[in-house]
Amino acid sequence: MAHLMVVAVSPADLDRLDALVQKQQTAETCWQAGAEQDANLLALRGPELRAARVRLRAERDRLRETGRHRVSRLHALAPALRTELEHRGLLREWDPIPEGAQRAGQTLGGIGPHSGTGLTARLVVSLPEALWTPLQRGVYWTNRPHVQALETWKDTWPTGTTPPPEAHTERTRITTHITTTGHILRTALHHTLHGR
């Protein structure tokens, strides 16, 4: 099952990603033509032709899965996202998020839909379960103590009160420990575009 993600990114980064995908689609089309010629598809008929097409599709899918042919936003981002999740220790089994809990995309301290310097474009990508689950659950469970601390802070300094400077410093310290799904996807996008 695929899960739709919408992430605020810079328009320039989104344009670069789409240009990369377009270039990869063109490269795959050239690869496909060469592979069909090498397999001599025009000379094949019946079961031999069907078997050759199955082999070519399997090889095409393998090249997509390994990140060699990054012909969609997902195929372009998946290798870097997998690496980023692994780097952060999130690519593992997590307990399910409790029913009714605040989801990772709603985390306090997140950028949200109308803020973030220059993040006016929207990256829309469908993540497979193998990436979406560790991203969502990992962010939830690693953020949990910091989100609870931020909620305690908000209870101590409700709207309409004036916190002292040290309380603002404490809130800033707490929020710097909160990682959002958007931050992780933007990091993966950065690595995708800059070849890391």
Side-chain angles (χ1 to χ4, degrees), residues 6 9 14 38 44 46 51 62 77 81 97 103-104 115 129 143 160 162 169 171 178 182:
V6 180
V9 297
L14 189 59
D38 291 346
L44 300 177
R62 186 190 70 77
L77 287 171
L81 178 56
I97 297 172
R103 296 293 179 175
S115 58
E129 195 76 31
N143 280 342
T162 305
T169 302
R171 183 181 192 284
I178 295 174

Side-chain angles (χ1 to χ4, degrees), residues 108-119:
L108 296 169
I111 287 178
H114 304 293
S115 58
T117 306
L119 304 179

Side-chain angles (χ1 to χ4, degrees), residues 52-97:
R53 285 182 174 154
V54 167
R55 283 192 303 277
L56 287 175
R57 276 194 300 273
E59 179 62 9
R60 182 202 63 202
D61 292 346
R62 186 190 70 77
L63 291 170
R64 287 178 176 183
E65 287 306 310
T66 62
R68 177 114 184 256
H69 289 178
R70 300 182 289 171
V71 296
S72 69
R73 287 177 175 177
L74 172 62
H75 286 104
L77 287 171
L81 178 56
R82 194 171 288 108
T83 299
E84 187 63 19
L85 290 171
E86 206 169 306
H87 170 74
R88 292 173 177 271
L90 302 179
L91 199 57
R92 63 182 183 88
E93 290 293 322
W94 293 95
D95 288 335
I97 297 172

Side-chain angles (χ1 to χ4, degrees), residues 19-182:
L20 170 69
V21 168
Q22 182 63 51
K23 183 178 175 184
Q24 289 285 311
Q25 289 171 344
T26 301
E28 184 181 78
T29 299
C30 292
W31 171 86
Q32 182 84 27
E36 287 176 3
Q37 186 174 357
D38 291 346
N40 202 17
L41 281 191
L42 293 177
L44 300 177
R45 298 287 179 265
E48 292 170 338
L49 176 60
R50 286 189 295 277
R53 285 182 174 154
V54 167
R55 283 192 303 277
L56 287 175
R57 276 194 300 273
E59 179 62 9
R60 182 202 63 202
D61 292 346
R62 186 190 70 77
L63 291 170
R64 287 178 176 183
E65 287 306 310
T66 62
R68 177 114 184 256
H69 289 178
R70 300 182 289 171
V71 296
S72 69
R73 287 177 175 177
L74 172 62
H75 286 104
L77 287 171
L81 178 56
R82 194 171 288 108
T83 299
E84 187 63 19
L85 290 171
E86 206 169 306
H87 170 74
R88 292 173 177 271
L90 302 179
L91 199 57
R92 63 182 183 88
E93 290 293 322
W94 293 95
D95 288 335
I97 297 172
E99 192 69 34
Q102 190 173 37
R103 296 293 179 175
Q106 303 165 332
T107 300
L108 296 169
I111 287 178
H114 304 293
S115 58
T117 306
L119 304 179
T120 57
R122 296 297 176 259
L123 167 62
V124 180
V125 64
S126 290
L127 296 182
E129 195 76 31
L131 292 174
W132 185 84
T133 298
L135 175 63
Q136 292 291 316
R137 291 180 181 182
V139 166
Y140 174 82
W141 288 110
T142 57
N143 280 342
R144 189 167 179 232
H146 310 296
V147 169
Q148 288 173 336
L150 191 55
E151 288 169 350
T152 300
W153 187 95
K154 289 182 93 174
D155 290 342
T156 304
W157 303 104
T159 303
T161 62
T162 305
E166 58 273 11
H168 282 292
T169 302
E170 176 64 9
R171 183 181 192 284
T172 300
R173 187 193 66 73
I174 294 168
T175 58
T176 59
H177 293 291
I178 295 174
T179 302
T180 64
T181 55

